[in-house]
Amino acid sequence: MARKKEFGEGVFYTIFNYIWWFLLGSFYFALTNILFISVWLITNAEGTSIFNLMTVISLIPTGPALVALLSVMGKIVIENDVNMTKDFFKAYRKNFCEALFYWVSFLAISIVIYADIIYLNANVQIMSNKFILLSIKFILITVAFIFISITFYIFPIISRFKFRKKDVIKISFYYVLKKIHITILNWICLIGLLYFLVEISGPILLFFFWNVICYLIIFNEKTILMDLEDKCVSLLN
């Protein structure tokens, strides 16, 4: 009996579980992003940028898939167990509309900021006041930094809780400042993984990247999510 328990809870068994969960998570994330994969493959085959608009459209389903991935990573980090297939698709269906709302908003704002920066860079030679140009770019980059920092908290929160939209945004902004060390740690994880992805590029690694970044963000925010859960339980009681 003791040997059976040792096998079920041993180091190798745990490592095998994590590897299996990550592989399944990556597969399901890729499966729910089949539209983006198809467009990505076509774009690379053509070697042109005529599919830019199609690429943006194909990214829309990524939102619900991302929240579902965060949800199962949360179960792994906080609960130390997960039924990957059942829990992933349950979270995908349950949070679909809410995840879509925040993700489409994220894409729209990101595109606007990116387009403004590209426009400024393209017209740098004809602008007489370089100080104004640099100031506008600095403001845009600062807004992008704050905006992405807030999303670090929005998606993990909606993956586990049902709050009003304005409350989700307020709570996320609060933790960006209150837990600035976690915000910085999230940025370090994101930039570090992006650097690794650029150095060793490939479509398979791209989806494995999402799995790892979701796990790290949930791991970094574990105490925050558990604190929110305790507060929710206290309010119900």
Side-chain angles (χ1 to χ4, degrees):
M1 200 70 183
R3 290 185 64 184
K4 184 178 180 181
K5 182 178 181 181
E6 182 181 349
F7 174 78
E9 297 179 4
V11 175
F12 290 108
Y13 182 81
T14 301
I15 293 173
F16 174 80
N17 274 344
Y18 271 77
I19 293 173
W20 179 243
W21 289 334
F22 271 60
L23 287 174
L24 271 183
S26 298
F27 174 73
Y28 293 143
F29 186 76
L31 186 65
T32 48
N33 281 280
I34 194 66
L35 180 61
F36 171 75
I37 294 174
S38 301
V39 173
W40 186 87
L41 291 173
I42 293 172
T43 303
N44 279 270
E46 294 291 331
T48 63
S49 58
I50 60 173
F51 293 99
N52 277 347
L53 179 59
M54 185 64 74
T55 301
V56 173
I57 294 173
S58 70
L59 277 170
I60 291 176
T62 300
L66 179 63
V67 173
L69 195 57
L70 284 164
S71 178
V72 293
M73 289 300 113
K75 285 183 173 293
I76 293 173
V77 172
I78 297 174
E79 301 173 22
N80 297 316
D81 193 21
V82 66
N83 184 328
M84 185 59 73
T85 302
K86 178 183 176 181
D87 292 335
F88 182 92
F89 288 104
K90 180 181 178 181
Y92 186 84
R93 292 191 301 270
K94 181 181 177 182
N95 300 307
F96 186 87
C97 293
E98 189 175 17
L100 206 60
F101 169 79
Y102 287 107
W103 180 252
V104 170
S105 301
F106 172 80
L107 285 178
I109 296 172
S110 299
I111 290 169
V112 170
I113 294 174
Y114 177 76
D116 286 341
I117 293 175
I118 292 297
Y119 175 81
L120 290 173
N121 289 337
N123 294 274
V124 64
Q125 300 299 330
I126 62 174
M127 295 188 71
S128 56
N129 197 322
K130 297 295 189 294
F131 176 76
I132 294 178
L133 172 65
L134 292 174
S135 298
I136 295 174
K137 286 182 66 175
F138 176 78
I139 292 171
L140 288 172
I141 293 171
T142 302
V143 170
F145 176 81
I146 296 172
F147 174 63
I148 296 174
S149 296
I150 293 174
T151 62
F152 280 146
Y153 296 93
I154 287 178
F155 291 113
I157 287 173
I158 67 173
S159 74
R160 294 185 66 86
F161 307 102
K162 286 292 180 184
F163 296 143
R164 292 178 300 178
K165 290 181 175 60
K166 67 176 183 179
D167 290 332
V168 171
I169 296 172
K170 284 166 60 178
I171 292 169
S172 299
F173 185 74
Y174 168 79
Y175 280 119
V176 166
L177 301 176
K178 178 69 175 180
K179 302 292 185 179
I180 187 66
H181 62 289
I182 294 179
T183 303
I184 294 172
L185 187 58
N186 283 337
W187 271 104
I188 292 172
C189 291
L190 178 62
I191 294 172
L193 285 173
L194 283 174
Y195 175 79
F196 180 77
L197 188 66
V198 170
E199 290 297 314
I200 309 176
S201 59
I204 296 177
L205 286 176
L206 175 62
F207 288 95
F208 191 71
F209 157 82
W210 285 104
N211 211 328
V212 175
I213 191 63
C214 284
Y215 179 87
L216 290 176
I217 287 175
I218 291 292
F219 184 84
N220 294 339
E221 299 178 11
K222 178 180 178 179
T223 55
I224 293 174
L225 296 173
M226 292 177 69
D227 182 53
L228 283 173
E229 192 167 343
D230 290 340
K231 288 178 180 178
C232 288
V233 171
S234 299
L235 288 174
L236 289 174
N237 294 334

